Amino acid sequence: MKKINVLIVDDHNVLKPGIIHMVEQAFEQVECNFTDRVRNARAIFHQNEVDVLISDLELGMGENTDGFCLIRNLKKIKPQLKCIAFTNYHSYRIMKQAVNAGFNSFLDKSCSEEDFINTLHEVYHNPPEEIFYSQSMKELLKRRNTFYRNVFAASLYGLSDLSRREKELTLLSAKTTDKYKLAKLMRIHHTTVDTHIRNALSKLKLANRKELALFAEEFADEIKNIQTYETEHD
């Protein structure tokens, strides 16, 4: 049976025994390396065939010393490296930033041992490009969804009032709010884009294009579902 090599990077050495214990619970054959410095982490990575990296996000005050930079650098060398963020930051924004940086999952340091072990096991066995949603992540998503549904309650109600072109424009707003770029994407004149934007803002009860872009990003699935329904019921 292959021995799995896990590199743990955390500047809270008091957590070392607990983290190593949970890692050993996840795998029958495992070798753990623990360090509290990014420089040492890079050295260990180059000296060993690391399978999974578990890293805190805040690791120092200097330039290129945080977990985000570490992951970006190591994944350039080994794209198939599996990575888990392990942090005190219980924030949807930080979680999203971690996933965008290349982490395959995200764990709050207050997570249960079961969540930690299950996440580590799943990340190791899943493809390197796949994101595994830990219980920590699901809780953050649920909290964020509740918040935005309250903020955009009236906007969601107004979705059904949008014309097909207005729905199309709303979705595209997540990519750009520049009317000339939108005109090119939709193959219409930029003055028509202005009209669609005014109508969409009015129907969705939004104040400006920035709010429209945020709405489109957060509720793209809802908009697409309505589009699919309309297409199927023509």
Side-chain angles (χ1 to χ4, degrees):
M1 182 180 292
K2 178 184 180 297
K3 182 176 285 189
I4 299 164
N5 194 308
V6 178
L7 172 57
I8 304 159
V9 189
D10 198 304
D11 59 358
H12 294 87
N13 281 288
V14 68
L15 299 177
K16 179 178 177 178
I19 299 174
I20 290 177
H21 169 74
M22 290 189 290
V23 171
E24 290 175 342
Q25 294 299 306
F27 305 116
E28 292 183 17
Q29 297 288 329
V30 63
E31 178 179 340
C32 291
N33 288 284
F34 188 102
T35 182
D36 60 354
R37 297 178 182 274
V38 169
R39 181 175 60 184
N40 293 345
R42 293 193 182 106
I44 294 170
F45 174 82
H46 287 294
Q47 294 165 8
N48 298 270
E49 188 62 33
V50 176
D51 298 301
V52 183
L53 176 70
I54 301 171
S55 179
D56 199 348
L57 298 177
E58 191 174 76
L59 296 164
M61 300 301 292
E63 186 178 358
N64 297 326
T65 60
D66 62 31
F68 299 109
C69 292
L70 177 64
I71 290 302
R72 292 190 186 100
N73 291 336
L74 296 189
K75 281 214 164 183
K76 287 179 182 177
I77 301 168
K78 185 179 180 180
Q80 69 272 28
L81 178 66
K82 313 289 183 65
C83 308
I84 299 171
F86 190 51
T87 176
N88 281 319
Y89 288 110
H90 193 61
S91 158
Y92 172 78
R93 181 179 63 82
I94 298 297
M95 181 195 78
K96 191 171 182 180
Q97 186 179 346
V99 170
N100 290 340
F103 284 97
N104 299 93
S105 194
F106 180 97
L107 285 168
D108 188 308
K109 284 186 177 178
S110 64
C111 71
S112 67
E113 183 173 314
E114 180 182 5
D115 192 21
F116 184 100
I117 293 171
N118 184 52
T119 299
L120 179 56
H121 189 270
E122 291 295 329
V123 166
Y124 174 73
H125 286 97
N126 285 344
E129 69 280 0
E130 190 168 316
I131 305 300
F132 175 75
Y133 284 85
S134 64
Q135 190 60 38
S136 296
M137 295 175 75
K138 290 176 181 177
E139 289 172 1
L140 287 172
L141 284 167
K142 183 178 180 180
R143 190 170 70 180
R144 165 271 209 173
N145 286 343
T146 300
F147 171 77
Y148 276 116
R149 285 192 176 276
N150 288 335
V151 170
F152 290 116
S155 302
L156 285 165
Y157 183 79
L159 264 180
S160 58
D161 294 329
L162 296 180
S163 69
R164 295 197 177 193
R165 290 297 258 172
E166 288 162 2
K167 291 187 188 75
E168 180 185 353
L169 178 138
T170 300
L171 275 176
L172 290 172
S173 293
K175 299 179 180 179
T176 179
T177 56
D178 183 283
K179 67 179 178 181
Y180 297 102
K181 291 180 180 178
L182 287 168
K184 186 176 181 180
L185 289 169
M186 297 179 70
R187 298 180 180 179
I188 57 178
H189 196 270
H190 64 83
T191 57
T192 307
V193 169
D194 285 333
T195 301
H196 286 326
I197 289 177
R198 283 196 303 271
N199 291 341
L201 292 177
S202 175
K203 293 175 182 179
L204 297 174
K205 303 188 186 314
L206 299 172
N208 51 51
R209 298 182 187 205
K210 185 176 180 180
E211 286 191 3
L212 184 65
L214 178 59
F215 177 81
E217 182 178 353
E218 295 298 333
F219 297 104
D221 289 342
E222 282 84 350
I223 300 170
K224 290 174 184 176
N225 286 339
I226 292 176
Q227 288 177 318
T228 300
Y229 177 86
E230 289 176 341
T231 300
E232 292 175 350
H233 292 80
D234 267 346

